[in-house]
Amino acid sequence: MNVLFFKYAIEVERTRSISQAAENLFMAQPNLSKAIKEMEDTLGFNIFERSSKGVIPTVQGKEFLVYARNIVSQLEKIDSIAKPNSAELQSLKVSIPRGTYVAYGMANFVLGLDMSKGIDINVQETNSVQTINNIAGGQYGIGIIRYQTEYEKYFLDFLSEKDLRYETIWEFDSLILFSKEHKLANQPDIRYEQLADYIEIMHGDNIVPYLSASDGRNYENHRTDKRICLYERCNQFELLTKVPTTYLWVSPIPDDILKRYDLVQRRCITENRRSKDVLIYPSGYKLTSMDKKFIDKLYEAKNEVAFENYE
C-alpha cells in the first residue's frame, strides 16, 4: 500500500473534511476521494463516515489511523537519519498558543542553541484544537494547549480520542492586559462589568471540541458586543498600545514585554476565568533532547511570571 495514502487519511482525520484536506494537500478533491476509496477497498472496511461533526473515523478507521501515524512517523525518522550531519542538527517541532510567556520561553530556547551546529526549528502558534490535530497527525512532536478549566472535560475527551498524553504545565487566573493609558490602568483589580464600555481583542479561531461554532465563540467573547478578532499575534500588542480603549485576556506576561509595549496587566473579579496550559504528545512518544531543553525554558519563563500575587 502506498505510504502517501496514509498521509492522505491522516490529513482527512485532522481536518474532518475531504475538501479542506485536498486543499491542504494541494490536490483536487475528486482525486483525494478516489485515493481514500481505493485504500478502503484494499483494507476491506471504511476508514471514514460522514456525521454532524464532519468526516470522522469509523471504529476500524481509528485503529488503522493509529498504525498509519506510527508508520509515517517512523519513516520520517528514517529519513532524518539519512540526512547529512543529522546528529549535529538541533531540531524541534512544536505547536503552541499565541504569545505571552510561552513565546518568551521559545525565544530563550533559541538563544541557547549552538550556532556552530545545524538548526531546524518549526513553531506554529495556533488554537488548542489545531494543536491537538497537529500532534495527532504527526506534523509536530509536542504541543502546548490552553483552555479554560470549565471546558476541561471536552479537551480531555478530545485528547483521549486522539490517543495523546498530557501533563499540566500551569493553572492560572487569566489577567486583563491593556495600555498604561487605559482609564482602568491604575486600578489594582477590575470588575468584569467595568469592561462593558471597552473593546475586547480576542483570537477569533479559538473553539472547544464537540461544541457548536456559536458555543465556541461564546467560550472566548463572554457575550461582549465590542470586539476585534485576530487570527495571529503580531497585531495584538500594537492595538493595545495605540488604541487605549482595548483590552485582552492573557496568561501572566513577563515584565520586559510589558515595559516594551507600555502595557499593564490587572486582575479581573469574575468567575470562570481559570485557565490551564497543558503539554501534549502522542502515546509512546519519547521526548527528544531538544524537546526537553524547550520544556526547561518554558518552565523558566513560567516561573518568572508566576509570582505570588498572580497565583
Side-chain angles (χ1 to χ4, degrees), residues 257-281:
I257 294 179
L258 297 175
K259 292 174 182 176
R260 189 184 314 162
Y261 293 98
D262 287 327
L263 302 174
V264 295
Q265 54 189 349
R266 294 287 183 262
R267 289 179 179 274
C268 183
I269 303 171
T270 183
E271 297 180 355
N272 300 327
R273 270 298 179 174
R274 193 76 174 164
S275 297
K276 272 189 181 182
D277 281 355
V278 176
L279 171 70
I280 64 170
Y281 49 90

Side-chain angles (χ1 to χ4, degrees), residues 11-24:
E11 186 63 18
V12 172
E13 180 199 23
R14 189 181 73 82
T15 61
R16 300 196 175 195
S17 165
I18 295 288
S19 59
Q20 185 60 57
E23 182 178 335
N24 294 350

Side-chain angles (χ1 to χ4, degrees), residues 88 90 109-119 290 293:
E88 298 294 308
Q90 299 167 104
F109 164 76
V110 173
L111 282 172
L113 295 176
D114 186 343
M115 296 302 294
S116 68
K117 297 181 179 179
I119 297 173
M290 287 293 106
K293 287 181 180 179

